Amino acid sequence: MTAMDWLVLSLLWGASISRIRPARHSLEHRVLWGAFTGLALSRVFTAAPVVTWMDTTTGTELATLLRHLTGLTSATCLLAYVEAITRHGRPSWARWIWPTAAVVMTILVAMFAARGGRIYWIDGAHAPFPTAPSGRVYLAVFDAWLMTCLTAAGWMFARYARVAPPLLRLGLVLSTIGMVAGVINRAHVMTVNMVTLLDSGTSLRETPILGRVTLLVCIIGITAGTSIPAWRTGMARLRDMATLRELRPLWKALVIQYPDLSLPMEIPMRGRVVRRVLEIRDGMLNLTTVSEPPPSDDPGVVAEWVADTLAAARTGCEPGVPSGTIPGPDFAGDMQRETKWLGQVATKFNQLDSGRRSVSLDS
């Protein structure tokens, strides 16, 4: 295997493994995982040691058939993925995408069996042995569906890129470039194959460098392009985790005093941030039964009020009637601003709490 073969395999298996976890929660991620896994398997069945072992063991070109079936599965999954993310309420195309793919793969298996397991085709339109007309027809069926999937996916990627946000648009453009390179790769092989089928004496041959370059561009384009949305999701998750850690000292202190605040519900990370903000605000509202909230919106002042009021509540101070006014500015429903302000309060509260514990130990 060449260095490029190892690079391609590393990219594909890396993309496949990185999508296992998201695939458990979303249909779109499941079909995208299927696309990368199918393509990775198809490249495994291209490796010379695997091909030699399988063909020698079975007495047929089984590796070629498996390479084609996994490749078509990958292309169909990719088309289903793009169709799902760009559908926008339109009826799903899945009702014809998967049945058509199943028909094409059934035809290939039937032709493979009819040929006695012999295709006489390695990785292009020409092979060390003469390829029979039936083998070339087999190859044409394979390329026709593969190019259909790549062309349709590329068209949908490009159309969606016109209205997508800037970063997502970059991913869609890269994916479109990958689809175009894939179409060129297969159109190149299919043209030589069909010309040879019509005229066995033709001198037309494939250009190896074109095949290798377009394959690499196709795989890099798809991998990079479809990874950008995943990268955005991952970065958003990291930000939410940091926000939860920042709010935790204040939230924990309030929940210890008012255990009913915490709602044990399994929700996504973004929802957990929103819930934590609401629980902190409810806790502050409970504190207004002990003392009046400060008129200032300064995070340090509010943090000191929370610390002092919690200390009073822990001593058994008789609760009164809530004031109905929660400390803090009027955020007018802006959750992002409110979360940022509460993060500042939580930081000040943690500093106060740490300082008081230190003084207590020293005394």
Side-chain angles (χ1 to χ4, degrees):
M1 292 177 64
T2 65
M4 194 191 82
D5 292 328
W6 285 111
L7 173 62
V8 168
L9 275 175
S10 299
L11 286 173
L12 292 174
W13 282 116
S16 172
I17 293 170
S18 68
R19 283 165 172 78
I20 291 176
R21 183 172 181 177
R24 295 162 53 192
H25 307 290
S26 163
L27 173 62
E28 289 82 0
H29 283 99
R30 276 195 289 276
V31 290
L32 185 58
W33 172 82
F36 281 110
T37 304
L39 191 52
L41 286 172
S42 73
R43 299 313 300 172
V44 170
F45 293 129
T46 305
V50 176
V51 173
T52 302
W53 176 78
M54 292 191 74
D55 290 359
T56 302
T57 302
T58 64
T60 68
E61 295 179 37
L62 181 61
T64 300
L65 177 65
L66 293 177
R67 175 165 67 251
H68 291 163
L69 294 181
T70 51
L72 290 184
T73 300
S74 172
T76 306
C77 284
L78 183 63
L79 179 57
Y81 165 74
V82 185
E83 188 273 333
I85 66 172
T86 61
R87 187 182 304 155
H88 293 310
R90 294 190 303 271
S92 174
W93 291 2
R95 64 183 183 275
W96 68 264
I97 291 176
W98 292 107
T100 304
V103 169
V104 172
M105 286 189 261
T106 300
I107 291 172
L108 289 182
V109 172
M111 294 179 70
F112 180 82
R115 281 286 298 155
R118 284 292 170 194
I119 303 168
Y120 297 117
W121 179 81
I122 302 298
D123 208 23
H126 291 276
F129 307 101
T131 301
S134 57
R136 294 194 177 281
V137 173
Y138 167 99
L139 180 57
V141 173
F142 166 76
D143 280 328
W145 178 243
L146 189 59
M147 290 174 61
T148 298
C149 292
L150 295 177
T151 302
W155 175 73
M156 286 187 282
F157 272 133
R159 189 178 63 173
Y160 190 37
R162 294 182 300 175
V163 297
L167 188 59
L168 180 57
R169 184 180 303 133
L170 173 61
L172 294 168
V173 169
L174 290 174
S175 298
T176 303
I177 292 172
M179 296 298 98
V180 172
V183 171
I184 293 173
N185 181 282
R186 299 321 305 172
H188 170 232
V189 174
M190 190 173 187
T191 299
V192 175
N193 180 55
M194 295 307 294
V195 169
T196 307
L197 179 62
L198 299 174
D199 179 12
S200 59
T202 181
S203 59
L204 186 64
R205 294 290 184 271
E206 297 166 69
T207 306
I209 187 64
L210 176 62
R212 289 195 292 269
V213 170
T214 51
L215 174 63
L216 187 60
V217 171
C218 176
I219 291 174
I220 291 177
I222 296 171
T223 304
T226 56
S227 294
I228 286 179
W231 180 81
R232 293 179 69 217
T233 301
M235 292 302 295
R237 183 179 177 85
L238 288 176
R239 286 194 296 270
D240 289 340
M241 291 173 65
T243 300
L244 288 172
R245 284 195 300 271
E246 185 179 40
L247 295 174
R248 181 172 175 77
L250 178 59
W251 171 83
K252 185 177 180 180
L254 290 168
V255 167
I256 289 174
Q257 181 62 31
Y258 304 109
D260 292 342
L261 288 179
S262 181
L263 301 174
M265 296 167 53
E266 287 295 328
I267 55 177
M269 187 65 68
R270 183 67 231 168
R272 289 175 60 187
V273 173
V274 173
R275 185 180 68 185
R276 182 156 294 186
V277 168
L278 296 177
E279 289 171 348
I280 290 174
R281 298 303 259 167
D282 285 345
M284 287 183 171
L285 180 61
N286 286 345
L287 289 180
T288 63
T289 65
V290 179
S291 70
E292 285 290 323
S296 173
D297 295 333
D298 180 80
V301 174
V302 174
E304 189 168 0
W305 171 78
V306 171
D308 292 340
T309 309
L310 274 174
R314 288 166 187 155
T315 61
C317 180
E318 189 69 24
V321 179
S323 70
T325 303
I326 305 176
D330 181 9
F331 297 103
D334 190 334
M335 183 59 67
Q336 185 173 357
R337 284 179 54 219
E338 185 171 8
T339 303
K340 183 177 179 180
W341 181 80
L342 281 177
Q344 295 170 350
V345 175
T347 300
K348 295 291 185 181
F349 176 84
N350 193 36
Q351 292 171 352
L352 283 170
D353 194 43
S354 299
R356 291 181 180 184
R357 284 199 303 268
S358 177
V359 169
S360 176
L361 288 173
D362 290 341
S363 61

